[in-house]
């Protein structure tokens, strides 16, 4: 028992404190109560010793024969150790033992104490047969004191013992009704926690102490709350898990999950010697779709296509959404390439079926890139790389489908990869070229066919690649368009052309105009107007000397929208030309509404003009249209005098082509202008009536 108590004593600080407090309190309380009692008892003992001696002496003095006084030794006993008797006259009758200091006692019967070696001196008046005698006695109190001290010690020890007993009782009580139940509860809590194995612990069953029931209930209700919270966390985790692996718009697996599935699919295919096909499906012109109808409709469209692809799920193995408008489909055991193409056709059909949304009938077009496992991948690599390769291949095929005009599927082949690699490297080189200014603007003059005077020039960009030499704009402009770099490049061309033309004007050719090609991307970018306005302002070129050439296919892409943009541009006072006219499918109804000033007949029609009757008919028709709509007609690609003469007889206004000059850098253009025999239209040039030389390919540099 003691052991337990002591153990608890050492383990429980509050219990220890409590016991010490009880011990001290009981000890002090007993001392406070008993010590005054002892003190009183000591004095009573001393008083009764004095009383006893006084009575004994009085008896002797009263009843003993006078001889007794002659034998004073008999008057002294154990406690009276000294005696002096005097008669009333003050003469000593008896002097015996240690004498008290009679003088200092006085003669008034009072007594005074002197603590000299535990004795007390007293003075008595005694009645004897011979009259009153004065007795001064010294009484020994040492024994009484010793007894008192011993008592005191006993009291202290007893108090201490009682204090200790009280402390032990306290400890025992505390242990029984406090420490033990708490320890029990704690160990139950610990058990329940340890058995929970990292989960929320179970409720505890505890009925040992009423006092602790409340605590146990509180604990249990905490656990219940915790279990509820844990369930919520679990649901939340499941949701997050789903969200991490699914796309919020279509609820299809996302890229992360697709990558996982792909790994499994490759692994299974390798293990079981199976095949599968990856289809990358990408919406065509999705940006245009978003711009046209807004992002909400764009999202609806994506979600709809996601749904439709998923509805094919019963025979395809996986549909996932990889990016904004890009999906991926995996189909196992397809058989041959023909079967893969059949699936691609189904994917296209299902995606392009009309979709009704709030009164709109929307129709998306998609391109599909296809790659087959295992035939399209290298077998000498690990499975992860195989997975990467097959998706990359499908992306290459998709890119090919896009470059070939979209709305189609393409099966991957190796040639595609090298084309794409070349294109990517060209794109990177273009970026550097833009930073390092590797471009130059060349000028190809245009002349009035009747007067042969120069009217201006078309600005044509040139790229001198540091290692590959000149790269044709027909090669790099489409790449710059696709990569979005044409915006920056186009702006630079426009600013340069305006600036240099203005300089030429200042050098005397003040009516010289300049035609600048504007790509479809620039035209739909939305920033064309401010860009043109800034270029004109910065170069100080009057707007009437600038003409923007926009291809027929660009203006016919979305004629209603284009009409607005063209009107905004023409309000600036600049000229607008439809380039490559005859190659697209212009609607004459629209042509009438375009604020266009010039039609440029595509050079393909001019080249064969002397041999191909169809081309003659087309040129005549274009010239007729121009006249009808009051537009100037420019023939480009004029390479010889015959073509020029033919155009002249047909009433064409302006000619441009190698026969007049190839495109050239600005310095050469200036020199050329200075030398051109017929001079510049609107500029006084003496002797400008010189006719063109008759040799063919005049400036064939
Ligand atoms: P384009 O706008 O139709 O330009 C006329 C093209 O015909 C130029 O080719 C020019 O050098 C070429 N050409 C002119 N006369 C003759 C001729 O007598 N015979 C032959 N065979 N060709 C002739 P270039 O400079 O190679 O440009 C090709 C295309 O690249 C341009 O066709 C235009 O679509 C685009 N391009 C050129 N420069 C720019 C530019 O600054 N911006 C934009 N956006 N596109 C440009
Ligand atoms: Ca052009
Ligand atoms: Ca052209």
């Amino acid at each position: 028992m003691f052991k337990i108590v002591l153990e608890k004593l050492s383990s429980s600080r509050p219990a220890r404190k409590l016991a010490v407090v009880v011990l001290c309190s009981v000890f002090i309380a007993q001392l406070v109560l008993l010590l005054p009692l002892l003190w009183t008892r000591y004095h009573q003992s001393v008083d009764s010793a004095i009383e006893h001696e006084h009575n004994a002496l009085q008896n002797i003095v009263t009843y003993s024969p006078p001889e007794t006084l002659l034998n004073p030794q008999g008057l002294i006993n154990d406690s009276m150790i000294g005696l002096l008797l005097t008669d009333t006259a003050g003469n000593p009758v008896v002097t015996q033992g240690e004498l008290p200091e009679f003088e200092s006692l006085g003669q008034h019967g009072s007594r005074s104490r002197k603590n000299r070696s535990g004795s007390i001196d007293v003075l008595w008046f005694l009645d004897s047969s011979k009259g009153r005698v004065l007795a001064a006695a010294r009484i020994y109190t040492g024994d009484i004191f010793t007894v008192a001290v011993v008592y005191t010690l006993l009291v202290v020890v007893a108090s201490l013992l009682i204090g200790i007993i009280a402390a032990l009782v306290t400890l025992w009580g505390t242990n029984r009704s406090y420490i033990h139940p708490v320890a029990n509860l704690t160990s139950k809590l610990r058990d329940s926690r340890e058995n929970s194995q990292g989960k929320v612990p179970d409720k505890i069953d505890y009925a040992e102490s009423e006092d602790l029931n409340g605590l146990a209930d509180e604990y249990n209700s905490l656990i219940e709350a915790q279990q509820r919270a844990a369930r919520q966390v679990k649901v939340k985790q499941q949701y997050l898990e789903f969200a991490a692996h699914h796309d919020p718009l279509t609820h299809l697996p996302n890229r992360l999950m697709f990558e996982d599935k792909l790994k499994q699919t490759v692994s299974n295919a390798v293990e079981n010697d199976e095949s599968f096909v990856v289809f990358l499906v990408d919406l065509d012109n999705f940006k245009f779709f978003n711009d046209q109808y807004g992002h909400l409709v764009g999202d609806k469209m994506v979600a709809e296509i996601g749904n439709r692809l998923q509805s094919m799920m019963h025979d395809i193995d996986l549909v996932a959404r990889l990016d904004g408008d890009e999906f991926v489909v995996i189909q196992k055991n397809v058989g041959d390439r023909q079967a893969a193409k059949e699936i691609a056709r189904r994917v296209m059909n299902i995606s392009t079926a009309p979709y009704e949304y709030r009164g709109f009938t929307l129709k998306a077009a998609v391109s599909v890139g296809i790659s087959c496992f295992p035939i399209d991948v290298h077998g000498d690599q690990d499975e992860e790389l195989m997975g990467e390769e097959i998706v990359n291949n499908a992306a290459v095929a998709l890119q090919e489908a896009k470059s070939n005009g979209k709305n189609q599927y393409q099966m991957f082949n190796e040639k595609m990869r090298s084309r794409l690699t070349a294109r990517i490297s060209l794109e990177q080189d273009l970026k550097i070229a833009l930073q390092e200014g590797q471009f130059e603007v060349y000028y190809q003059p245009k002349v009035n066919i009747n007067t042969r005077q120069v009217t201006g020039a078309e600005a044509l960009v040139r790229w001198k690649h540091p290692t590959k030499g000149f790269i044709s704009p027909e090669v790099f402009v489409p790449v710059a368009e696709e990569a979005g770099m044409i915006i920056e490049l186009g702006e630079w061309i426009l600013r340069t052309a305006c600036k240099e033309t203005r300089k030429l004007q200042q050098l005397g050719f003040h009516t010289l105009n300049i035609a600048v090609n504007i790509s479809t991307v620039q035209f739909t970018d939305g920033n064309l107007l401010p860009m043109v306005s800034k270029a004109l302002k910065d170069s100080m070129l009057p707007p009437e000397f600038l003409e923007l050439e926009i291809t027929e296919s660009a203006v016919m892409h979305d004629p209603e929208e284009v009409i607005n943009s063209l009107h905004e541009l023409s309000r600036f006072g600049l000229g607008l030309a439809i380039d490559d006219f005859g190659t697209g499918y212009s609607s004459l109804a629209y042509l009438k509404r375009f604020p266009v000033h010039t039609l440029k007949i595509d050079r393909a029609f001019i080249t064969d003009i002397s041999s191909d009757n169809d081309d003659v008919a087309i040129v005549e028709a274009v010239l007729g249209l121009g006249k009808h709509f009051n537009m100037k007609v420019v023939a480009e690609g004029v390479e010889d005098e015959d073509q020029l003469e033919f155009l002249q007889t047909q009433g064409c206004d302006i000619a441009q082509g190698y026969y007049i000059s190839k495109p050239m850098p600005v310095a050469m253009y200036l020199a050329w202008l200075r030398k051109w025999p017929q001079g510049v239209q609107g500029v006084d040039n003496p002797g400008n009536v010189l006719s063109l030389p008759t040799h063919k390919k005049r400036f064939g540099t």
Side-chain angles (χ1 to χ4, degrees), residues 458 517 549 551 579-581 600-603 636:
E458 178 181 0
N517 292 285
E549 292 189 7
T551 59
D579 204 356
D580 302 343
F581 194 76
K600 281 190 94 169
I601 309 176
D602 192 67
R603 71 169 188 267
E636 64 176 18

Side-chain angles (χ1 to χ4, degrees), residues 26 91 138 252 349 397 412 417 428 503 581 625 638 658:
V26 171
N91 301 317
R138 171 160 291 170
L252 290 175
N349 286 341
F412 171 79
R417 195 201 301 281
Q428 279 160 353
K503 211 166 258 168
F581 194 76
L625 272 178
V638 178
Y658 291 174

Side-chain angles (χ1 to χ4, degrees), residues 373-439:
F373 188 93
I375 40 175
D376 286 342
V377 298
H378 297 90
D380 51 355
Q381 53 187 342
D382 69 27
E383 288 173 2
E384 199 169 331
L385 291 178
M386 283 185 191
E388 263 177 40
E389 191 181 354
I390 189 143
V391 175
N392 284 343
N393 290 347
V396 168
L398 176 65
Q399 193 60 47
E400 184 82 10
K402 293 273 181 188
S403 313
N404 283 358
K406 308 177 177 173
N407 197 19
Q408 57 186 275
Y409 61 79
Q410 286 288 338
M411 274 268 173
F412 171 79
N413 64 49
E414 276 301 333
K415 274 190 206 138
M416 284 179 188
R417 195 201 301 281
S418 40
R419 272 202 294 275
L420 189 73
T421 315
R423 211 205 87 114
I424 290 169
S425 108
L426 189 71
E427 200 177 306
Q428 279 160 353
D429 287 355
L430 260 178
K431 267 186 203 141
I432 298 170
L434 263 178
Q435 283 161 7
E436 297 186 351
Q438 293 170 5
F439 299 100

Side-chain angles (χ1 to χ4, degrees), residues 441-442 444 458-462 471-478 481 486 489-490 493-494 516-520 522 549 551 579-580 600 602-603 607 636-640 643 656-663 697:
V441 176
Y442 274 42
Q444 187 175 34
E458 178 181 0
L460 292 158
V461 67
R462 292 293 175 265
I471 297 179
S472 163
E474 269 162 330
V475 173
F476 73 81
V477 167
E481 281 178 335
I486 195 69
L489 179 60
I493 296 165
L494 180 74
V516 179
N517 292 285
I518 297 297
S519 131
T520 318
Q522 285 172 285
E549 292 189 7
T551 59
D579 204 356
D580 302 343
K600 281 190 94 169
D602 192 67
R603 71 169 188 267
T607 309
E636 64 176 18
V638 178
E639 294 189 352
D640 57 41
Q643 291 167 349
Q656 175 189 348
Y658 291 174
Y659 182 56
I660 297 149
S661 169
K662 276 197 163 181
K697 310 256 172 187

